[in-house]
């Protein structure tokens, strides 16, 4: 029997993943603000960090409304997301902006997936979050301006962006292996408990193939986002 | 000639001081969240940090509306506030909460001073900020509960709180020496340019005496706040 939309456990996984992703981004952005060259730029990064925190709170609230323990829902994603952050520490203010932009972009892909699959209350939340994506335009403008001022940055930042997405896909691969139910949902929009074998068995071959396709489409959208920042793949 | 309420330079000083204080608190709280023992507590501290950030933004906005460069207004307070934070790094989650509570309390005293002296637009902002003080009750409850569970904490946290306020007064003393105009306003509610000699001369003897009285009243209120947390002076 398929679970109803409001108690779909794979949607719980997705909300937990996104909630911890936002909390983690909050911490990293707050740290990175220390790299900002001026008081004004510190304030700008702090404001981006506060936005992440508010999304975290809304996702957490939604998990509570769904009758789930939010911290339990987040727990499986703490290690892979922390690992991603540890492997991608920005060395400058503009690297930190590129990371936020790339991270937001990938998160956006996941949010849209949730919107497709989830119950009405959750979809509303997701749409509200996506409406805020205006900040992406703001960040890409700042990065573009920095690259125009110092063209040597373009190559360095393009490499950086490639590393960011590479490390993200590598962590996502780990998550997909450990949580086939989530992998199936992301790959196919299938969210029934039978997809890809049980959680204990690991992901089936078919699911790994579709997860690969999903990653392919994330990489495609990543290329578009790079272009928006004036970088190349 | 006395400046009008909306271009009173000492009010600009106060708003700059509070804006940087909120931004600094944001950074420290975000850092301290890493000390929190659980994912839930990390989230709670992150939420407190985001509140500081939103106050920073409102104060900055107000400085802009007053036709002041906000970063210039904040600049004189960066060193003393950073020094305060550097000298008072919490070693635990509950120390971090006590610091937030004490820091909020002192900031509240300053906010109230601004409200007395400033133009209507600024006073509105200050009142909105003070309405949020409900979080103080929340923090003091958590601290009280921690002390009840581990009574040995009480002495340690009382010492910690004393150090926090001692270091704050020591930094404030530096600021008062360097900015007599601000010292005069804080001590007496006088905000005219003649009070306490020119900014270049340093504070006059009379002002230092009244600043000492102001500090005395901050210390009195600090004792009340300690009691609210179940600590003693």
């Amino acid at each position: 029997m398929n679970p109803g939309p409001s108690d779909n456990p794979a949607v719980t996984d997705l909300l937990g993943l996104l909630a911890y992703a936002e909390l983690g981004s909050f911490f990293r952005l707050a740290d990175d603000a220390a790299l900002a060259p001026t008081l004004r730029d510190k304030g700008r990064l702090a404001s981006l960090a506060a936005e992440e925190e508010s999304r975290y709170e809304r996702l957490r609230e939604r998990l509570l409304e769904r009758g789930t323990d939010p911290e339990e829902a987040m727990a499986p994603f703490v290690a892979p997301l922390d690992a991603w952050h540890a492997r991608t520490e920005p060395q400058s203010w503009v690297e930190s902006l590129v990371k936020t932009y790339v991270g937001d972009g990938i998160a956006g892909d996941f949010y849209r997936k949730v919107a497709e699959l989830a119950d009405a209350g959750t979809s509303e939340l997701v749409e509200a979050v996506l409406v805020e994506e205006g900040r992406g335009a703001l960040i890409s403008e700042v990065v573009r301006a920095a690259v125009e001022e110092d063209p040597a940055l373009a190559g360095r930042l393009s490499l950086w962006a490639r590393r960011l997405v590479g490390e993200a896909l590598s962590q996502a691969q780990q998550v997909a292996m450990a949580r086939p139910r989530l992998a199936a949902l992301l790959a196919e929009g299938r969210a029934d408990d039978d997809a890809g074998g049980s959680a204990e068995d690991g992901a089936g071959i078919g699911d790994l193939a579709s997860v690969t396709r999903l990653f392919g489409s994330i990489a495609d959208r990543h290329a578009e986002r790079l272009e928006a920042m004036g970088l190349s793949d």
Side-chain angles (χ1 to χ4, degrees), chain A:
Chain A
M1 198 189 76
N2 289 353
S6 72
D7 55 1
N8 183 332
V11 170
T12 300
D13 274 357
L14 263 181
L15 290 173
L17 163 68
L18 285 168
Y20 189 70
E22 300 290 11
L23 186 62
S25 296
F26 164 79
F27 285 126
R28 296 322 137 170
L29 271 172
D31 275 358
D32 296 347
L35 295 166
T38 67
L39 202 48
R40 182 72 279 262
D41 289 336
K42 278 183 213 293
R44 284 203 182 99
L45 266 191
S47 153
L48 292 183
E51 277 178 40
E52 310 277 9
E53 197 281 333
S54 120
R55 295 184 194 174
Y56 154 77
E57 284 200 42
R58 278 183 283 172
L59 287 159
R60 190 177 179 280
E61 199 54 47
R62 187 68 202 131
L63 282 161
L64 279 174
E65 284 164 8
R66 288 168 53 92
T68 320
D69 181 305
E71 278 65 44
E72 266 177 40
M74 287 182 242
F77 307 105
V78 169
L81 281 160
D82 285 358
W84 183 64
H85 284 297
R87 285 160 182 276
T88 57
E89 278 196 16
Q91 299 303 313
S92 70
W93 139 255
V94 71
E95 281 192 8
S96 168
L97 284 181
V98 169
K99 179 169 169 177
T100 301
Y101 189 77
V102 168
D104 272 8
I106 298 175
D109 294 342
F110 281 75
Y111 273 115
R112 266 179 288 271
K113 205 72 192 174
V114 179
E116 278 170 35
L117 298 161
D119 54 294
T122 302
S123 300
E124 260 172 49
L125 174 148
V126 168
E127 272 149 38
V129 166
L130 289 174
V131 164
E132 289 162 15
E133 282 206 333
R135 77 180 206 169
L138 207 94
I139 297 182
S140 62
E141 240 173 69
V142 176
V143 174
R144 260 179 186 284
V147 168
E148 268 164 38
E149 205 170 293
D150 175 9
L153 264 182
R156 199 139 39 91
L157 291 178
S158 298
L159 273 178
W160 168 242
R162 192 181 306 163
R163 218 180 97 210
L164 287 167
V165 78
E167 293 285 358
L169 292 179
S170 145
Q171 294 302 324
Q173 188 73 49
Q174 301 285 329
V175 171
M177 305 274 283
R179 301 190 83 74
R181 191 176 64 197
L182 179 59
L185 178 142
L186 288 176
E188 304 281 7
R190 282 185 297 152
D192 48 303
D193 270 344
D194 303 327
S198 76
E200 290 72 30
D201 294 342
I205 296 297
D207 284 318
L208 286 184
S210 24
V211 166
T212 305
R213 280 198 301 281
L214 170 75
F215 289 178
S217 77
I218 286 182
D220 289 347
R221 282 189 291 267
H222 176 68
E224 287 164 28
R225 287 191 283 262
L226 282 185
E227 213 170 307
M229 287 186 287
L231 306 177
S232 56
D233 201 5

